Amino acid sequence: MSTNFSWEMRPTVGGIDFGPELNTLLPPLVRKLLAQRGITGKEQAEKFLYPRLADLGDPFSLAEMDKAVARIFDAIDNRQEICIYGDYDVDGVGSVTLLRAILRAYGAAPRFFIPIRTQEGYGLSEAGIARCMREGPLPNLLITVDCGTSSVEEVAALQAMGIDVIILDHHEAGPLGRPDAVAVINAKLETESPLTYLCSAGVVFKLAHALLKERKVPGFDLKHYLDIVAIATVADIVPLVAENRLLTRYGLKVLGEGRNIGLLALNEVAGMNRSPSASHVSFRIGPRINAAGRMDSPLDAVELLITQDSIRARALAQRLDSHNKARQAEEEKIRMEAIDMLHRHFDPANDHVIVLGSPTWHPGVVGIVASLLMRRYHKPTFIISIDENGLGKGSGRSIPGVSLVQAIHHCAEHLESGGGHDMAAGLVIREEKLDAFRKAFNAFVRETTSEKQRKPILHIDAEVTFPELTLDLLDSYELLEPFGNTNPQPVFMSRNIALTDVPKRLQGNHLRLFLKQGVSEHDAIYFNGGEMRLPDPPWDIAFTITRNVWRGRSSLSISIQDIRSSEP
């Protein structure tokens, strides 16, 4: 595989004057990065760089929050049976954990239920509800988290059984509209809510805030649960803007304090330091929690987050790590088989999408492989696991400018069902319809995008020289964190880079590079660089920077994003 990115410099919109104090504190490079993020003036800059929890908005601004609060307090006061019905990913598991904690603080004893991915599928499925009702007392109130917005028929069936339903969610509405629940708290159902960026754990946090505003609980500090909110927000790849960025910034600090025994054990298993970043959550914590649900053991993840026993926490953390290793092995198997299929049938010039399926692929892992192939080939991708009855369940990942939700609607005649977000979605399809869906999906992308939109672009934030890459720069640069969706980690470029030694191949097909610009030298890591066909030096390199802490000593770490032959 060779690199094929087109490098484009991001424009700087507006000036980089943020007042005498910030101008002195921040180097010009960091002020430029602020301007690129649409930050103008001293007030906006201070709010972005130094967010405060006091700036959180009124939780009752979310529609139907008052109805949810009233019904929950009614259930608590009358000692009614409450069941929390969640999802098997990080956001669902985190939402269950946080909601359980706040309800228990009020003296309730809620039970919780998480469906098994391969048996019951996502959300309020008929099979999931049936098992939920069998496994515990019939609830008077069922609260869904990270699901339920499109479950009109299922909610009606629960109501017919005498079970009230509250929905806490962030997914799009289905074609049948709003379920007839006691309350549906989902900013995406509102016409002009600014809170559509919240993940479900963020919605649950808002509910907890609202409950505490109405009725305080002595000794309960909601801030201590911000680590759960941060992990869910980062792992669910929702926009890190406004309150999401604020909750994540403080949540990562709580995560570093090690308050949650389970997360502390997982941090140790994952080899994390005590100053975790959003990147650590994305690549170490999130995948291990997700692996439990992907490998059909979602309760292991919930138990890890709620346990108060450090010995049990270590055992569960190791079990999640084992799930993750099994997931990685399954992922690699599917990835290699999918690439082999592409090499036999794929025409990059005319095939604008990737749609592949197999009866040997684990349904819990197809989404990860879809993401890997989408990034490698820059094509909207669906990877599908087909069961013994010829029914395929697939996950999709997309490129900028291609909405998978719109694509699913456009290709609905070939599908059993489908939905999700613009950039990540799921579908159900009959095996015999795969070719027809692939052709329809390909035509949709060809007709709704330009050739330029379909080409991979690497956006460069700024050009820097090696002497500028110092720990002093990192001190100011880190004020821009946490990085993620809508606040991406800046990508820098440096020109005329030479090698001082032969690249060293590391485990996992990664490369360690020994680089030099003039008299300044830096080592760099190129993840999956062993798969790349590197040009002859000298190079122009595109890269990101982070702080590496080893045995108490800090250094600036370079992570290569792309390499090209050096240009004038």
Side-chain angles (χ1 to χ4, degrees), residues 17-32:
D17 181 3
F18 297 103
E21 186 178 348
L22 287 180
N23 288 348
T24 302
L25 177 67
L26 305 174
L29 176 58
V30 173
R31 285 186 274 135
K32 177 181 179 179

mmCIF file of all heavy atoms in Angstrom, residues 17-32:
data_model
loop_
_atom_site.group_PDB
_atom_site.id
_atom_site.type_symbol
_atom_site.label_atom_id
_atom_site.label_comp_id
_atom_site.label_asym_id
_atom_site.label_seq_id
_atom_site.Cartn_x
_atom_site.Cartn_y
_atom_site.Cartn_z
ATOM 1 N N ASP A 17 -4.800 37.748 17.738
ATOM 2 C CA ASP A 17 -4.625 38.660 18.875
ATOM 3 C C ASP A 17 -5.691 38.340 19.920
ATOM 4 O O ASP A 17 -6.882 38.534 19.695
ATOM 5 C CB ASP A 17 -4.753 40.107 18.400
ATOM 6 C CG ASP A 17 -4.559 41.110 19.541
ATOM 7 O OD1 ASP A 17 -4.269 40.659 20.676
ATOM 8 O OD2 ASP A 17 -4.702 42.313 19.302
ATOM 9 N N PHE A 18 -5.248 37.837 21.071
ATOM 10 C CA PHE A 18 -6.169 37.468 22.142
ATOM 11 C C PHE A 18 -5.922 38.293 23.406
ATOM 12 O O PHE A 18 -6.231 37.839 24.516
ATOM 13 C CB PHE A 18 -6.048 35.967 22.432
ATOM 14 C CG PHE A 18 -6.432 35.087 21.273
ATOM 15 C CD1 PHE A 18 -5.461 34.466 20.500
ATOM 16 C CD2 PHE A 18 -7.762 34.908 20.926
ATOM 17 C CE1 PHE A 18 -5.802 33.672 19.419
ATOM 18 C CE2 PHE A 18 -8.122 34.110 19.844
ATOM 19 C CZ PHE A 18 -7.137 33.491 19.086
ATOM 20 N N GLY A 19 -5.372 39.459 23.231
ATOM 21 C CA GLY A 19 -5.099 40.335 24.371
ATOM 22 C C GLY A 19 -3.684 40.143 24.886
ATOM 23 O O GLY A 19 -3.085 39.074 24.705
ATOM 24 N N PRO A 20 -3.126 41.154 25.551
ATOM 25 C CA PRO A 20 -1.716 41.127 25.977
ATOM 26 C C PRO A 20 -1.354 39.913 26.828
ATOM 27 O O PRO A 20 -0.303 39.302 26.636
ATOM 28 C CB PRO A 20 -1.567 42.428 26.771
ATOM 29 C CG PRO A 20 -2.651 43.308 26.271
ATOM 30 C CD PRO A 20 -3.788 42.425 25.889
ATOM 31 N N GLU A 21 -2.220 39.532 27.778
ATOM 32 C CA GLU A 21 -1.873 38.445 28.689
ATOM 33 C C GLU A 21 -1.753 37.116 27.956
ATOM 34 O O GLU A 21 -0.755 36.382 28.103
ATOM 35 C CB GLU A 21 -2.918 38.343 29.802
ATOM 36 C CG GLU A 21 -2.558 37.333 30.880
ATOM 37 C CD GLU A 21 -3.583 37.293 32.007
ATOM 38 O OE1 GLU A 21 -4.448 38.192 32.067
ATOM 39 O OE2 GLU A 21 -3.506 36.358 32.818
ATOM 40 N N LEU A 22 -2.776 36.756 27.140
ATOM 41 C CA LEU A 22 -2.736 35.498 26.410
ATOM 42 C C LEU A 22 -1.686 35.529 25.304
ATOM 43 O O LEU A 22 -1.054 34.504 25.016
ATOM 44 C CB LEU A 22 -4.113 35.172 25.823
ATOM 45 C CG LEU A 22 -5.192 34.716 26.813
ATOM 46 C CD1 LEU A 22 -6.496 34.416 26.102
ATOM 47 C CD2 LEU A 22 -4.721 33.485 27.593
ATOM 48 N N ASN A 23 -1.503 36.695 24.680
ATOM 49 C CA ASN A 23 -0.477 36.792 23.639
ATOM 50 C C ASN A 23 0.910 36.500 24.204
ATOM 51 O O ASN A 23 1.761 35.917 23.531
ATOM 52 C CB ASN A 23 -0.488 38.179 22.998
ATOM 53 C CG ASN A 23 -1.706 38.401 22.106
ATOM 54 O OD1 ASN A 23 -2.435 37.447 21.795
ATOM 55 N ND2 ASN A 23 -1.933 39.636 21.702
ATOM 56 N N THR A 24 1.136 36.907 25.440
ATOM 57 C CA THR A 24 2.427 36.638 26.084
ATOM 58 C C THR A 24 2.540 35.179 26.504
ATOM 59 O O THR A 24 3.600 34.555 26.373
ATOM 60 C CB THR A 24 2.602 37.545 27.316
ATOM 61 O OG1 THR A 24 2.514 38.920 26.908
ATOM 62 C CG2 THR A 24 3.943 37.297 27.985
ATOM 63 N N LEU A 25 1.434 34.633 26.995
ATOM 64 C CA LEU A 25 1.439 33.265 27.510
ATOM 65 C C LEU A 25 1.533 32.230 26.397
ATOM 66 O O LEU A 25 2.218 31.211 26.535
ATOM 67 C CB LEU A 25 0.164 33.021 28.333
ATOM 68 C CG LEU A 25 -0.038 31.616 28.895
ATOM 69 C CD1 LEU A 25 1.015 31.314 29.956
ATOM 70 C CD2 LEU A 25 -1.449 31.473 29.475
ATOM 71 N N LEU A 26 0.845 32.484 25.271
ATOM 72 C CA LEU A 26 0.717 31.484 24.214
ATOM 73 C C LEU A 26 1.650 31.803 23.047
ATOM 74 O O LEU A 26 1.658 32.935 22.550
ATOM 75 C CB LEU A 26 -0.726 31.429 23.699
ATOM 76 C CG LEU A 26 -1.826 31.179 24.738
ATOM 77 C CD1 LEU A 26 -3.191 31.300 24.077
ATOM 78 C CD2 LEU A 26 -1.655 29.815 25.384
ATOM 79 N N PRO A 27 2.407 30.833 22.569
ATOM 80 C CA PRO A 27 3.222 31.070 21.377
ATOM 81 C C PRO A 27 2.343 31.296 20.156
ATOM 82 O O PRO A 27 1.182 30.847 20.129
ATOM 83 C CB PRO A 27 4.048 29.782 21.263
ATOM 84 C CG PRO A 27 3.310 28.767 22.037
ATOM 85 C CD PRO A 27 2.572 29.481 23.116
ATOM 86 N N PRO A 28 2.860 31.955 19.119
ATOM 87 C CA PRO A 28 2.052 32.215 17.920
ATOM 88 C C PRO A 28 1.430 30.956 17.317
ATOM 89 O O PRO A 28 0.308 31.001 16.803
ATOM 90 C CB PRO A 28 3.063 32.859 16.961
ATOM 91 C CG PRO A 28 4.079 33.483 17.848
ATOM 92 C CD PRO A 28 4.185 32.578 19.047
ATOM 93 N N LEU A 29 2.137 29.821 17.371
ATOM 94 C CA LEU A 29 1.590 28.589 16.800
ATOM 95 C C LEU A 29 0.298 28.193 17.498
ATOM 96 O O LEU A 29 -0.687 27.823 16.844
ATOM 97 C CB LEU A 29 2.618 27.463 16.925
ATOM 98 C CG LEU A 29 2.164 26.073 16.470
ATOM 99 C CD1 LEU A 29 1.730 26.091 15.021
ATOM 100 C CD2 LEU A 29 3.270 25.046 16.699
ATOM 101 N N VAL A 30 0.254 28.261 18.821
ATOM 102 C CA VAL A 30 -0.954 27.878 19.558
ATOM 103 C C VAL A 30 -2.073 28.876 19.303
ATOM 104 O O VAL A 30 -3.241 28.504 19.175
ATOM 105 C CB VAL A 30 -0.646 27.743 21.066
ATOM 106 C CG1 VAL A 30 -1.915 27.513 21.871
ATOM 107 C CG2 VAL A 30 0.338 26.607 21.306
ATOM 108 N N ARG A 31 -1.720 30.161 19.194
ATOM 109 C CA ARG A 31 -2.750 31.157 18.886
ATOM 110 C C ARG A 31 -3.322 30.929 17.483
ATOM 111 O O ARG A 31 -4.525 31.123 17.250
ATOM 112 C CB ARG A 31 -2.169 32.561 19.018
ATOM 113 C CG ARG A 31 -1.997 32.989 20.478
ATOM 114 C CD ARG A 31 -1.565 34.427 20.614
ATOM 115 N NE ARG A 31 -0.114 34.565 20.530
ATOM 116 C CZ ARG A 31 0.503 35.483 19.805
ATOM 117 N NH1 ARG A 31 -0.184 36.330 19.072
ATOM 118 N NH2 ARG A 31 1.822 35.546 19.803
ATOM 119 N N LYS A 32 -2.470 30.488 16.554
ATOM 120 C CA LYS A 32 -2.969 30.163 15.213
ATOM 121 C C LYS A 32 -3.943 28.992 15.268
ATOM 122 O O LYS A 32 -4.986 28.991 14.607
ATOM 123 C CB LYS A 32 -1.794 29.825 14.294
ATOM 124 C CG LYS A 32 -2.220 29.390 12.893
ATOM 125 C CD LYS A 32 -1.028 29.040 12.029
ATOM 126 C CE LYS A 32 -1.506 28.593 10.654
ATOM 127 N NZ LYS A 32 -0.406 28.260 9.736
#
